[in-house]
Amino acid sequence: MSNIIESATIDDIALYLQREDGLDVKASYQQAQSVIDGFNDMASKGIIKGWYFNDQGHLELLPSDNALRIIANQK
């Protein structure tokens, strides 16, 4: 799983938002783009390595190794 960079596309996220939040097609794509923009921002800052849908169909973030070290040190 650590090699995932991006496995949830804008289409996947938009469909998820339509199903889970009841958004219409246009709104779901606008929100999906906002979500992906946020993910790309986090990735550029080294916080995450990627995102994906887990086995239960929930959108998950894959934290970077550096972020995992920081979290571990705070426990």
Side-chain angles (χ1 to χ4, degrees), residues 8 14-15 23 31 34 36 51 55 58 62:
L15 287 172
L23 298 178
Q31 287 293 326
S34 178
I36 288 177
W51 55 91
D55 294 339
H58 298 127
L62 185 62

Side-chain angles (χ1 to χ4, degrees), residues 44-74:
S44 72
K45 293 176 181 173
I47 299 168
I48 64 170
K49 292 193 267 187
W51 55 91
Y52 62 98
F53 281 102
N54 66 18
D55 294 339
Q56 292 79 36
H58 298 127
L59 196 53
E60 296 280 339
L61 300 178
L62 185 62
S64 68
D65 294 337
N66 190 43
L68 288 173
R69 279 192 293 278
I70 292 168
I71 292 167
N73 287 337
Q74 292 182 1

